[in-house]
Structures are given as structure tokens and as C-alpha cells.
Amino acid sequence: TLTVTSANHWMTAWLGLELNMISILPVIAKQKHPRSTEAATKYFLTQATASALMLFASTINAWQTGSWNIMQLNNKLSCILMIAALAMKMGAAPTHFWLPEVMQGTTLATALLITTWQKIAPITLLYMISNHTEPIITLSIGLLSILVGGWGGFNQTQLQKMMAYSSIAHLGWTMTVISIAPNIALTNIIIYMIMSAPFFTLLMTTTSKTLQTMTTTWTHTPTTTIILMLLLLSMAGLPPLTGFTPKLLILDNLVTHKLTLTAATMALLSLLSLTFYLRTTYLLTSTAPPTTTQSTTTWRLKPHQNQTTAILTPIALFNITILPALLT
């Protein structure tokens, strides 16, 4: 990832992405289980295809313009191919089909890695070529991703698949604004990562994998339940929480660029995502599981000394601290 983020040459970036992909395959296939092997195979095939497409796009650009510099992607065809390759690498619609499957076949820790760290390299490249991108293409990919992310998460009972569709929807918000205001797109994806990390770490702590097991969290860890609820609402983009800030800034930018209809469509499509976030929140907080124990003291989890969750949770929830810095 660091090789990609510090690269100037397309070949170096490609090499970095290949190393990144090869390194995570054993992490995905770590569980000795057919599901994880299948997930690793799917991940390998899609990433290898995207890498080949990326190499093809950069070669066409070098052939036409004589430059291998990442910032000088002047050829229109190679720019379109590059956006397609990077969208496939990240898991944006319409090349998103691998993401829910891969995330479902791995552990929660690896799923967290795929939704956060693995997005850094392609997003960096997209940010670097944002001057040459066609707004109509990025807007189309973005709108489709928000629609797919909302619709796909609707029926899910598996938390990992639900978070995969949530990731696709957030990527959609990033894609729509990448060619108009790349800094805000970057802010959006960073805030999404900050919200995802504590959510996944808390799921790991409670070992919840489905909506059904989530309903029993309240009896033994009420604090965790409240934090999970707030994190879900923050991801949904409800006003007092951090998740609302990037959405507000994105919509504001789109309206400024006379894209009011697109902004309105995005706001309406995000209601699809809101539905499954609210359903999960309702199951977490408003449904009490049957208490079968006769004893008065309920079972407690062992105290986990997880500094990451402790640091990231306040940032993921409290908007006020970062809002003035973003708006100035």
C-alpha cells in the first residue's frame, strides 16, 4: 500500500497493488475451510483482472503520450479503463459482486482489513488522476453504487455481507464527488474507515456474526450495544454524528456545481441504506431477548484492552471536533 501511495510511475503503482493482493491472500485463506478458500480465489481473480486492466490502460497512455507518470493520464480511453479497473479493485458497482462473497467467507478481522486498508491504494490512485476523470462516468458509478449498496443490504441477516453493501454505498458517495472535489471525496472515505474500525472491533469483541446473535448483546454488554447503535446511526449519516459531515459537504458541492438532481437522487437513495441501519439499531436496542438465567448477576465479557476502539469511537461519533476544520 505504501509503495502505491508514494509511486509516480504506473509500473511502480501496479507492482505495489500486486504485492498487496498477493500478501492478503493467505490472510483471507487462513481458516482451513472451503468458504475461505473460495473467498481467497474470488478475491485473487477479480484483483488480477483489475490489475491487468490497469496495466493495459497505463500502457495505452504511455504509447499515446510517451509518459508513465500517474498525474499525466491524458488519453481518454486509458482514463476510462483506469476508472473501471480501480472501481473493480475497490468493489464499486457494477463490479462489486466479489465484495460481499469475499467478506462473508473470512473472519471479522480480515473483513475489516478489506473494507478499510485495502481501499487506500486504489483511492489514492483515483485521487491522483481525478483531474483527468470524466465526471459523467464517476457520477454514474457513484449513483449505481449507492443504489446497489442500499438495495443489496436490505435483505441481509449476515452482518459481514451487510457491511459489504454498506461499504459499496459509501464508495458510491466517494465516487460521485471524486472528479468535482477530490479532497471531500478523500475526507468521506477516511471518515468511513474511522466509523468501520470500531464497529468491526466491537463485533469481534461480542463475536456477533448475524442479526440474531446481535439481539442478545444487550443482556451482557449494554455499553457495547449503545456504542454499536450510535456507530450504525453515524454510518447512516444522521445529523449530530460524524457520518453526516461528509454527506453534507458532498451534497453542498454537487448543488454548487449545478447538479441538484443528482444530489437529490443520492439523498433519496441513501434512504435505502438508512432502512437496514435502522433495522439493525432496532434489533440491537429495542428488542429484549428472553432471559433464561435465574441468577441476578448477568454474565460479563472479559475486559478487552482495545485502545483502537477507545480512540476511534469518539471521532466516529462526535461531529463538533472536526466540523470547523472541514468547513473553513
Side-chain angles (χ1 to χ4, degrees), residues 21 24-46 98 101-107 110 114:
M21 183 256 289
I24 202 169
L25 288 175
V27 180
I28 296 171
K30 186 167 147 273
Q31 292 173 292
K32 303 290 183 286
H33 194 272
R35 284 300 294 271
S36 52
T37 315
E38 184 190 337
T41 312
K42 282 176 179 172
Y43 187 83
F44 170 73
L45 291 171
T46 48
W98 62 272
E101 298 297 320
V102 169
M103 278 181 69
Q104 189 52 40
T106 59
T107 58
T110 316
I114 292 167

Side-chain angles (χ1 to χ4, degrees), residues 236-265:
L238 292 183
L241 305 164
T242 305
F244 174 67
T245 312
K247 290 189 176 180
L248 175 70
L249 293 172
I250 289 168
L251 293 176
D252 178 48
N253 254 283
L254 289 172
V255 172
T256 311
H257 286 82
K258 304 280 190 293
L259 292 163
T260 318
L261 189 64
T262 311
T265 313

Side-chain angles (χ1 to χ4, degrees), residues 202-203 206 208 210-226 228 283-284 289 301:
L202 287 172
L203 287 186
T206 56
S208 304
T210 59
L211 289 177
Q212 193 180 0
T213 50
M214 252 185 139
T215 53
T216 58
T217 318
W218 181 257
T219 46
H220 52 81
T221 48
T223 320
T224 304
T225 313
I226 292 163
L228 281 170
L283 284 171
L284 259 176
L301 285 177

Side-chain angles (χ1 to χ4, degrees), residues 127-276:
Y127 180 81
M128 288 167 84
I129 64 163
S130 58
N131 284 344
H132 303 289
T133 52
E134 288 284 327
I136 188 74
I137 295 168
T138 51
L139 282 168
S140 307
I141 290 172
L143 281 169
L144 191 61
S145 295
I146 297 168
L147 176 67
V148 165
W151 223 318
F154 236 70
N155 253 358
Q156 298 302 332
T157 53
Q158 300 287 333
L159 287 171
Q160 277 157 283
K161 271 194 174 178
M162 196 182 86
M163 287 309 291
Y165 284 108
S166 160
S167 171
I168 294 165
H170 277 90
L171 268 175
W173 282 85
T174 306
M175 289 297 283
T176 43
V177 83
I178 194 87
S179 55
I180 299 163
N183 289 342
I184 289 173
L186 213 56
T187 308
N188 180 54
I189 203 78
I190 289 165
I191 287 176
Y192 166 68
M193 288 174 188
I194 288 169
M195 291 187 293
S196 292
F199 185 79
F200 273 103
T201 45
L202 287 172
L203 287 186
M204 281 183 254
T205 312
T206 56
T207 62
S208 304
K209 290 207 174 142
T210 59
L211 289 177
Q212 193 180 0
T213 50
M214 252 185 139
T215 53
T216 58
T217 318
W218 181 257
T219 46
H220 52 81
T221 48
T223 320
T224 304
T225 313
I226 292 163
I227 294 170
L228 281 170
M229 176 198 79
L230 289 168
L231 285 167
L232 279 164
L233 295 176
S234 184
M235 279 188 216
L238 292 183
L241 305 164
T242 305
F244 174 67
T245 312
K247 290 189 176 180
L248 175 70
L249 293 172
I250 289 168
L251 293 176
D252 178 48
N253 254 283
L254 289 172
V255 172
T256 311
H257 286 82
K258 304 280 190 293
L259 292 163
T260 318
L261 189 64
T262 311
T265 313
M266 284 166 69
L268 287 171
L269 288 176
S270 68
L271 292 175
L272 290 167
S273 301
L274 180 66
T275 310
F276 68 77

